[in-house]
Amino acid sequence: MRISELSRRSGVPIATIKYYLREGLLPQGHATAANQADYSEQHLRRLRLVRALVGVRGLSVSAAKEVLDRASEHASDMHQMLGLVLGAWPVGKADAEPVREAVAEVDELLETAGWKVTEDAPAKQAIAESLVTLRSLGMDIDWHTLLPYAELARRTAVVDLDQLQDADDPLERAERALLLTVLLEPVLLALRRLAQEDESARRHGV
Amino acid sequence: MRISELSRRSGVPIATIKYYLREGLLPQGHATAANQADYSEQHLRRLRLVRALVGVRGLSVSAAKEVLDRASEHASDMHQMLGLVLGAWPVGKADAEPVREAVAEVDELLETAGWKVTEDAPAKQAIAESLVTLRSLGMDIDWHTLLPYAELARRTAVVDLDQLQDADDPLERAERALLLTVLLEPVLLALRRLAQEDESARRHGV
């Protein structure tokens, strides 16, 4: 397809596509004339992934390029690749003593749940910080409180991974993993609020 | 307790407490001397709730006052009260045709799941907007895709509501509902990411 069609199908302006081409985020198309190139479905997928990394996950263009370069090296290793595209996490603010203690609790939770995750996964830090915040607000909460939530999160992850099974192309898979993970977050939170309303109505006999 | 202890136990500066007192967000203490007042555990709880509404849910002081006034009127009706403190939701951007169509899909989802929720619940709009965004990025997704997530959200809500059972005081309940709902959100999302990593490792035999 021509660059105009690539733009139309991806929703990315031509000027932005040209910028990505110059920066090496998108491989050059197949030259068909002095000033014309042909782009494949592969280009379209890669472009969507770039847009998801930059627009959805908020990476800079150079950070997105680094992730994509590393992901290409590991394209055959789905687990590695998912880790790369999903990997980054807003860096936590605090590294204070209470947070370190809470990280140890999160490790206990993970061990009890039987999960194997990266030792320094940023999500662990995020959970620890929320525990500290909730306690500072007077909530009586520890890792035992989180166990039933962890069990439900594991079932959610099973549904997530099932959704990725039918994509053959590794780039498409990586893109879907990213979109499903990040863009479904507000959906899952909204579903929880609606379910709370319904459950509250049932319990209080409305 | 004196205002200094109220400040220490709540973590809210004395100047801020005095501001809340002036604005009527916090009822006056019991006067013990010309320039001294005594505050109760009730004041402490109310103060925490104010801080949660302003700091966690991001309400303005006047909006928090309105929510609290209305919540006090309905303090005996737990369902009403939860609705009030949890109610507001960031207002959606788009009201375009695709979003309206997606809202109709969300209604179909809710009917299938058998949930009874407010007709114009902002969470419905949030789900509809995410559906539209996901589709614009080329994802093949509709309300059927969301059914298993809805089932897990309902179980999450059951765990949420169970956590609130042991609080007797209506203000404490409202505060816990708010903190649990809003502050557990990053925890639930972090648990999902960790579970995805673990599930991905299992499936790809790492």
Side-chain angles (χ1 to χ4, degrees), chain A residues 51 79 89 116 118 137 149 154-155 160 162 165 181 192-193 196-200 203, chain B residues 51 79 89 116 118 137 149 154-155 160 162 181 185 192-193 196-200 203:
Chain A
R51 195 169 59 159
H79 179 60
W89 187 274
K116 301 234 176 315
T118 319
L137 293 168
Y149 291 113
R154 120 144 271 112
R155 294 192 202 184
D160 290 332
D162 284 348
Q165 295 295 20
T181 297
R192 175 176 172 232
R193 297 223 184 174
Q196 285 175 336
E197 184 184 345
D198 176 69
E199 180 67 18
S200 168
R203 293 198 186 193
Chain B
R51 196 170 58 160
H79 179 59
W89 188 276
K116 300 234 178 314
T118 320
L137 293 168
Y149 291 112
R154 120 145 270 112
R155 296 193 200 183
D160 290 333
D162 284 347
T181 297
E185 288 184 347
R192 176 175 172 234
R193 296 226 185 174
Q196 284 175 337
E197 184 184 344
D198 176 68
E199 179 68 17
S200 167
R203 293 197 187 193

Side-chain angles (χ1 to χ4, degrees), chain A residues 108-123:
Chain A
E108 226 165 321
L109 168 69
L110 294 173
E111 205 181 325
T112 308
W115 295 3
K116 301 234 176 315
V117 303
T118 319
E119 181 55 34
D120 55 353

Side-chain angles (χ1 to χ4, degrees), chain A residues 12-43:
Chain A
V12 178
I14 292 181
T16 307
I17 296 177
K18 286 185 173 167
Y19 172 59
Y20 290 161
L21 286 166
R22 280 199 304 278
E23 295 293 319
L25 274 165
L26 199 64
Q28 300 293 329
H30 177 77
T32 51
N35 214 357
Q36 237 171 59
D38 191 55
Y39 299 90
S40 63
E41 293 293 320
Q42 192 81 355
H43 282 94

